[in-house]
Amino acid sequence: MTLRASAALFAAILSIGPSVAQAQMQDPGAAQIMMEASEFNYGVLDFGASGSRMVKFRNTGKRPLVITSIQSSCGCLTAEIPKAPLAPGATGEIRFKYDTKRPGVFRKTMTIASNAGTEPSVVFTVKGEIRPDPNPPASGSMPPK
């Protein structure tokens, strides 16, 4: 094989590389995540009320779906990562909790990362309002130990 033919073959192989990677990312047989909703609105909650809620999701793909991480935009919003892979066609849930001891209007997000083929990261928004503390500590007083 001549040097020119080798160079042409090498260039052809390099040009195929990105196409193969794109095809793997859009594997029609991969796991897929479909959230029941893209956001949750708490409405108006009392200070200190339960902030525990959940959102359902479904694996619409052909392979098991694995949630690899959930990152929230604030420490005031926490979530539990489902431990077991979700079978194709099955429905799962993500439990989350907002700290309701932070009065005021809020809008936070959770980024849910998974092994889904076409959309491995999904952003879920949580919003609402927490009423002020009805029993705020007296000025100058020390909180109880």
Side-chain angles (χ1 to χ4, degrees):
M1 185 179 281
T2 68
L3 183 57
R4 179 175 278 166
S6 295
L9 178 62
F10 182 69
I13 290 170
L14 284 179
S15 69
I16 292 171
S19 299
V20 170
Q22 283 178 332
Q24 288 173 341
M25 285 176 47
Q26 297 185 8
D27 177 3
Q32 300 298 330
I33 187 168
M34 177 184 276
M35 301 298 293
E36 175 182 68
S38 61
E39 75 176 27
F40 180 84
N41 187 346
Y42 278 93
V44 180
L45 291 175
D46 289 332
F47 183 89
S50 173
S52 295
R53 303 291 189 274
M54 66 95 175
V55 63
K56 291 184 178 185
F57 65 97
R58 195 170 138 217
N59 179 1
T60 59
K62 294 185 169 111
R63 292 194 186 120
L65 175 69
V66 178
I67 304 294
T68 55
S69 70
I70 301 176
Q71 297 291 324
S72 68
S73 60
C74 174
C76 55
L77 178 63
T78 58
E80 293 177 26
I81 298 173
K83 305 246 186 283
L86 191 65
T91 300
E93 55 187 46
I94 295 171
R95 296 187 178 280
F96 59 94
K97 182 177 182 180
Y98 183 77
D99 179 2
T100 60
K101 292 185 179 178
R102 297 173 180 236
V105 175
F106 64 92
R107 182 180 188 87
K108 306 297 179 188
T109 60
M110 294 187 298
T111 302
I112 302 159
S114 71
N115 66 330
T118 56
E119 195 174 6
S121 290
V122 176
V123 177
F124 182 74
T125 302
V126 174
K127 64 182 183 177
E129 181 178 358
I130 309 300
R131 290 187 178 104
D133 185 351
N135 303 309
S139 297
S141 67
M142 297 294 290
K145 288 187 178 185

